[in-house]
Amino acid sequence: MEFSLIERIRERTAQGREDVRLGIGDDAALLAVPVGQELAVAIDTLVEGVHFPVATAAADIGWKALAVNLSDLAAMGATPAWALLALTLPNADPAVVDGLASGFAQLAQPYRLALVGGDTTRGSFALSVAVHGFVPPGKALLRAGAQVGDAVFVTGTLGDAAAGLRLVQQGRGSDDARAAFLVERLNRPTPRVAAGLALRGFANACIDVSDGLLADLGHICEASDVGAHVDVASLPRSSALLDLFDDVAAGDFALSGGDDYELCFTVPLRHVATVQADLARLGCGATRIGQIVQGRGIKVRDARGQWLEPGHRGWDHFKA
Ligand code: ADP
Ligand code: MG
């Protein structure tokens, strides 16, 4: 595709790194993996109308495409280093490319993450980002390590992004500062990279919450061959969410809403205090929401201590 578009992306995402021997411009990038580290790689695709609303600003899309990938590295406890960007555009609109590149660069910069290559093609608007990060051998946080008796935690707050999407769909996205906060959580999620690094050596299992807490904690349970109990009343919810939605809706968003990109992880009891202190220091905090039990599947307790039946709104509300 047009050289000038690739050049615009290169200029806006330039990042000096010693380990990039050759970046954008040749047939392939040449990268030096630090001796003694494992490479963690992940890729995620965003499609217009599926993963972001059609009217989303280009800079927000560029941010989010990288954020969802950094979130995967965070969930592995990996340090981000490099990315590739495959971009499909209906037409060669420099304003869109500049917006995408600037949102991407804004998030990449504090991590010193270098965009080292990609591909640019014509078609329906979609973008795939692949990320590469480093983790010491054997130290990655896996889904499969949860142990019976572990405490289950999440970072940050849950349900904000799903609530933001609801507001956008209702045309209420810029009603007030609370609505704007929830839409920002949808469009510009914060990958919990530092939290993931801090959890190495303390968490037994970790995943990022992209499809909703129940779905993603379910993946930990399946991989670890355990079950979990979750208390709805304990789920961390932002004041914006609680202000703009009733308790039932806020609980449903927190249980089943996707796109929050918080980390959900399990911790043996002896490490609980350390993890809480470390993540409080990092600013995102960690809230204890339940525990790992023997058996299969997740059981959810409501605010009055009653077990919710599968089929309750929160279980399948967002699958339709
Ligand atoms: P090729 O035909 O070898 O794939 P391209 O014209 O697709 O060459 O790409 C030329 C250079 O620009 C390559 O180094 C490629 O990695 C980089 N590149 C292409 N598109 C992008 C993009 N969207 N973002 C970053 N780098 C890109
Ligand atoms: Mg190419």
Side-chain angles (χ1 to χ4, degrees):
M1 187 117 161
E2 278 115 284
F3 171 73
S4 65
L5 289 188
I6 298 171
E7 191 51 33
R8 300 183 90 92
I9 293 171
R10 198 183 62 76
E11 278 170 10
R12 283 166 180 76
T13 59
Q15 186 85 254
R17 280 186 70 105
E18 260 287 283
D19 52 17
V20 180
R21 303 286 193 256
L22 190 61
I24 292 173
D26 212 308
D27 297 314
L30 295 174
L31 307 167
V33 181
V35 174
Q37 299 279 307
E38 284 177 350
L39 198 56
V41 299
I43 183 166
D44 259 315
T45 299
L46 301 190
V47 176
E48 183 180 47
V50 180
H51 302 100
F52 55 87
V54 171
T56 307
D60 288 342
I61 297 165
W63 173 291
K64 187 163 182 173
L66 178 57
V68 302
N69 278 283
L70 291 183
S71 179
D72 282 326
L73 290 184
M76 297 302 286
T79 304
W82 312 309
L84 298 166
L85 167 63
L87 188 56
T88 309
L89 292 170
N91 47 56
D93 184 342
V96 169
V97 170
D98 290 357
L100 290 171
S102 68
F104 184 103
Q106 218 183 329
L107 180 58
Q109 205 259 328
Y111 295 106
R112 297 194 52 248
L113 175 128
L115 183 65
V116 298
D119 195 27
T120 309
T121 53
R122 199 178 292 273
S124 303
F125 188 14
L127 61 175
S128 300
V129 172
V131 286
H132 309 69
F134 310 136
V135 64
K139 295 283 191 261
L141 302 170
L142 308 183
R143 297 178 179 189
Q147 299 287 324
V148 172
D150 282 0
V152 180
F153 280 89
V154 290
T155 57
T157 55
L158 293 175
D160 295 330
L165 179 60
R166 175 71 54 85
L167 293 173
V168 170
Q169 288 166 341
Q170 294 174 338
R172 296 164 57 205
S174 41
D175 272 9
D176 61 20
R178 298 166 302 185
F181 167 83
L182 296 174
V183 173
E184 180 90 355
R185 292 274 290 157
L186 172 70
N187 288 336
R188 294 211 170 208
T190 305
R192 301 301 188 188
V193 175
L197 296 177
L199 290 173
R200 283 198 319 222
F202 298 108
N204 277 338
C206 186
I207 193 168
D208 65 322
V209 180
S210 55
D211 296 334
L213 174 68
L214 290 177
D216 291 314
L217 178 55
H219 294 319
I220 285 184
C221 289
E222 279 156 35
S224 304
D225 203 18
V226 294
H229 289 171
V230 169
D231 286 298
V232 175
S234 69
L235 298 180
R237 281 163 288 179
S238 67
S239 55
L241 176 66
L242 292 170
D243 277 0
L244 295 185
F245 293 88
D246 67 38
D247 206 51
V248 173
D252 282 354
F253 283 134
L255 277 176
S256 305
D259 261 8
D260 283 316
Y261 300 99
E262 297 295 345
L263 296 182
C264 174
F265 52 94
T266 83
V267 180
L269 297 183
R270 70 184 184 281
H271 290 323
V272 160
T274 309
V275 162
Q276 281 176 316
D278 286 356
L279 270 59
R281 204 173 316 116
L282 292 175
C284 62
T287 304
R288 191 168 175 172
I289 62 164
Q291 78 176 53
I292 297 296
V293 299
Q294 271 174 349
R296 318 219 82 212
I298 302 172
K299 288 181 76 180
V300 179
R301 220 167 4 219
D302 72 12
R304 290 163 301 144
Q306 311 267 11
W307 295 107
L308 299 179
E309 294 301 317
H312 168 83
R313 276 179 11 110
W315 288 88
D316 51 15
H317 196 48
F318 292 88
K319 295 209 179 98

